Amino acid sequence: MCPVGPRGCGGKMAAAGAMERSFLEISGAERERPRHFREFTVYGVGTVNAVVGAVKYSESAGGFYYLESGKLFSVTRNRFIHCALHLPSFCKYLLNFYMSGMVVDTGIKWKTSGDTLELVEESLDVNLLNNAVHLKFQNCSILPGGVHVSETQNHVIILIVTNQTVHRLLLPHPSRMYRSELVTESQMQSIFTDIGRVDFRDPCNYQLIPTVPGLSPNSSTSAAWLSSDGEALFALPSASGGIFVLKLPPHDLPGMVSVVELKQSSVMQRLLIGWMPTAIRGDQGPSDRPLSLAVHCVEHDAFIFALCQDHKLRMWSFKDQMCLMVADMLEYVPVNKDLRLAAGTGHKLRLAYSPSLGLYLGVYMHAPKHGQFCIFQLVSTENNRYSLDHISSLFTSQETLVDFALTSTDIWALWHDAENQTVVKYINFEHNVAGQWNPVFMQPLPEEEVIIRDDQDPREVYLQSLFTPGRFINAALCKALQIFCRGTERNLDLSWSELKKEVTLAVESELQGNVTEYEFSQEEFRNLQQEFWCKFYACCLQYQEALSRPLALLLNPHTSMVCLLKKGYLSFLVPSSLVDHLYLLPDENLLTEDETAISDDVDVARDVICLIKCLRLIGESITMDMSVMMEMSCYNLQSPEKAAEQILEDMITIDIENVMEDICSKLQEIRNPIHAIGLLIREMDYETEVEMEKGFNPAQPLNIRMNLSQLYGSGTAGHIVCRGVCKIASTRFLICRDLLILQQLLLRLGDTVILGAGQLFQAQQDLLHRTAPLLLSYHLIKWGSQCLATDVPVDTLESNLQHLSVLELTDSSALMANKFVSSPQTIVELFFQEVARKHIIAHLFSQPKAPLSHTGMNWPEMVTAITNYFLQLLWPSNPSCLFLECLMGNCQYVQLQDYIQLLHPWCQVNVGSCRFMLGRCYLVTGEGQKALECFCQAASEVGKEEFLDRLIRSEDGEIVSTPRMQYYDKVLRLLDVVGLPELVIQLATSAITEAGDDWKSQATLRTCIFKHHLDMGHNSQAYEALTQIPDSSS
């Protein structure tokens, strides 16, 4: 694996890297125009319309990962396919919503809408073209879980089971679509590009399910697989508890379609069951019809597993057409009397195969108000006999299990609880003796109520709430807009900014249409305005909630990536850092947290846990007004320490539940508060003196460097990393806020009351002054993660770079002509995609401990490492200026000005570099005198900062004058190319006083003054300047 462990994870707390931690949900839905789905209709010859009362299937989803998706140098790296099954009422709407595409990190996803199958291929490395399709099946309904994907050396094969037909889609494998394994483009064609050439009526790849006696008419489960000979096999349950298997011959060989029934018992027993009355048999049990099917392929055979209504697990050999094993699952259920008398419902079966450990089976036994997972390993004995080795049983009280996924070590489960909220957890089923599940912190829905202060415009507040990155997806806004306009046909193929204008127009038009009186008081109009914006917001919230409903888990065993397939988009699960994990963990989990995972010193670990409990008590007591007070103090450049002091005063004043007493009580349990606080601060600090490599190691072969340069290069991957950074910054901001308030409480209580003898007041003050910059740093990163970049025309970009080219900045990848994409990136996303990603990947794979030939793509490790290194590049007090350079190179001058303004009062790093870039901002806005003032202020920092050093460094390495004079030379060139001769003269005149006895610099500067006076027609001033040019011989 590639090395992980940059700063921000340093300190004693990072000693336990193997601890099980929580995960965060990150939405993968970008905010670009809705994706265009190409639509195809699949006509089934011989199918009939659904009859009244026919079974209606629920929504479902699933996915497929390429076998080599976890290999670093595979063309299918990070690539997958996903799909989902939706109710018909949602189908038309979902045609317009966005599902991202990717190839080098790739897979396939699918969705269905009763009779419409939605297929999307994704990649985390490149942006896939033509990667989304809708297949409409005439007269047929796709079975839940009725989409199965396989791959061969040349093809990706999609097997589809409907209630009347089976289908085989043959598509080219990505490794056969490109001329070499080397992927160098940022965009590539998807395997669905040429799906329009597929003949859906080809009898070789399509078959009606025959009306076989005993075939269950209302099957809600199926399985499908490819044999080693290329046959497509489809398994469906029979009403008698057996399995029907329909076989299509290989696609390239002639053959007959056949159907066989796998029966579970001998002929005599079947006759007895068929003819003897139930009372004579003494068989009062439920039906043994399969509820859940799964297939495991072994060489020239396939094992078919069925979890049945009679709570038994059965295993068949397809080759021998025999039932090899029957296991009663109720033997593993502690209290099973009531279950034994009732037919099973809601039972689920999953398989996981490990080449080294064998086949694992995960069985979920559903019972009212509780459930149980049973994990088994398949054991082979003599004479082709099999048995189950019981590994673990895990109990859960969640009401409704939606889906679960199994690996050889973990169970991941997705529930809806009693309040219909989504719950996702995972557990290591072998080593978790306490049975403690690890939580996933789900992305919350936007707040139900928007708070508007008296001094705010309702329209602006609502627009900000609707269009702040990470809150609403494009599809929810578009659907709400359509409903709000009462179904009026509107063009919804809109960019983010165009959509914002349409929303504003629609709500304001509706408002104007309801204004019937000629005269309105300002207050009445404001109330009416707020009412209509509130209605539209509620509509958006409704659709956001509907689209956020999860349908399935998608787990990649090759990379350990876990995704959540939702009705309207895809989300990714990423690991929490230790600090965030402890702060966000539910109370019951925090009580059982492994102390050795926090620190090798148990006393230190206990101190940290007590400290976190104090911070959470403070956080839970913070009101909305208090929260806004701290946010506004940071934004308005006021002291966070003073804001924390005021918040503490307010908390004490309104404390009616004795929270302060609880906090003081917890504080007394901390043996060494100063050390615990210092440890927490070090863990959250990304300040480092070490710079990352500027590019890939030139010693690496060209094909390796080019391949690595595409890693995580898709828009989706960038979006995930940047949303992860935003979540970290938001959580850490809260931690730092609560820490500041706690420190103010410690100061108020005094040394001896809480801290005991020997603790110094000065130590507390030092910690306070270290915490405030930390809070401001996270506030700034959070601000950048929500600040949209401006879409800049290419000609403007090129003109800007032409001006900046006179600076001759060496080793700068930040000043590059990048065509800005149409999706509304934030400035942090822009920086990651254009600059930071390549720096980070180069740094990761330049480490001596990263042997590229053995490197696997472990998603939790990779995304953690990338996020941590990215935070280093964004950290305000680090020496790198790449972020600011990127904003300057991409014409983000308004954002650059705002950033420097938020940074300036408290951060004393790169002061000169910031003044220089602010000067450039003023040049663009036409404020020349302000620009000149900034350039002059920056001169004092020349020779002290990395950016200014690169600015004065000559490409040929020749030093022609002092650093300060070289700096003035570059600024004069910039002013000249921008066309500001008056400023050139002013700066040159000012620089002369610093040139001293350096006659060469004197001559250069006075010649410059002469030239520009002459060009402007100032003849007398030009002559005077000419006479003052020193002679080299004098």
Side-chain angles (χ1 to χ4, degrees), residues 518-628:
Y518 289 104
E519 291 188 12
F520 260 99
S521 70
Q522 191 171 353
E523 184 181 353
E524 287 174 324
F525 182 78
R526 178 187 168 87
N527 290 339
L528 196 62
Q529 188 183 28
Q530 193 163 337
E531 178 187 334
F532 278 89
W533 276 105
C534 184
K535 282 181 183 177
F536 181 77
Y537 183 85
C539 195
C540 293
L541 201 60
Q542 180 184 351
Y543 283 105
Q544 181 78 11
E545 185 174 2
L547 290 168
S548 299
R549 184 176 178 82
L551 302 177
L553 287 164
L554 180 56
L555 188 151
N556 184 346
H558 313 299
T559 65
S560 300
M561 177 191 279
V562 183
C563 295
L564 207 52
L565 299 177
K566 298 194 171 188
K567 181 180 282 191
Y569 57 94
L570 178 72
S571 64
F572 295 77
L573 305 187
V574 300
S576 302
S577 69
L578 178 54
V579 176
D580 301 6
H581 165 79
L582 293 173
Y583 185 76
L584 297 171
L585 209 56
D587 287 335
E588 62 269 20
N589 292 67
L590 196 58
L591 289 171
T592 59
E593 189 66 30
D594 181 7
E595 291 167 347
T596 59
I598 298 170
S599 173
D600 297 332
D601 186 328
V602 175
D603 288 333
V604 170
R606 287 173 183 164
D607 281 357
V608 169
I609 289 177
C610 279
L611 176 62
I612 292 290
K613 287 178 180 177
C614 290
L615 296 180
R616 285 160 56 138
L617 282 171
I618 290 172
E620 290 163 6
S621 305
I622 296 286
T623 65
M624 179 66 73
D625 289 342
M626 295 174 188
S627 178
V628 170

Side-chain angles (χ1 to χ4, degrees), residues 35-36 38 66 75-77 79-81 100-108 120-123 125-133 156 171-180 182-197 710:
R35 177 168 298 283
H36 172 67
R38 291 174 297 146
Y66 291 94
V75 75
T76 54
R77 180 184 69 195
R79 190 164 175 161
F80 59 101
I81 301 170
S100 66
M102 347 185 229
V103 173
V104 184
D105 252 332
T106 15
I108 301 175
V120 182
E121 187 180 23
E122 306 266 10
S123 169
D125 291 353
V126 297
N127 296 312
L128 292 179
L129 304 173
N130 301 305
N131 67 318
V133 295
V156 173
L171 301 168
H173 194 277
S175 62
R176 293 291 176 265
M177 293 178 66
Y178 317 116
R179 293 183 180 178
S180 73
L182 186 62
V183 177
T184 59
E185 300 298 324
S186 61
Q187 294 183 328
M188 295 174 67
Q189 293 294 340
S190 163
I191 63 167
F192 297 128
T193 296
D194 293 327
I195 196 171
R197 298 179 183 178
Q710 298 300 318

Side-chain angles (χ1 to χ4, degrees), residues 753-817:
V753 176
I754 292 294
L755 303 177
Q759 296 288 351
L760 301 176
F761 176 80
Q762 187 58 46
Q764 296 177 65
Q765 288 286 358
D766 290 344
L767 286 176
L768 201 64
H769 296 321
R770 286 172 59 194
T771 307
L774 210 59
L775 175 117
L776 291 165
S777 295
Y778 282 118
H779 174 264
L780 196 55
I781 293 171
K782 186 174 74 160
W783 174 85
S785 299
Q786 296 176 334
C787 176
L788 288 178
T790 306
D791 196 349
V792 181
V794 176
D795 55 348
T796 305
L797 271 177
E798 290 174 350
S799 172
N800 178 58
L801 291 173
Q802 209 170 21
H803 290 168
L804 295 177
S805 65
V806 300
L807 300 177
E808 296 176 347
L809 273 167
T810 56
D811 302 325
S812 179
S813 57
L815 300 179
M816 296 162 61

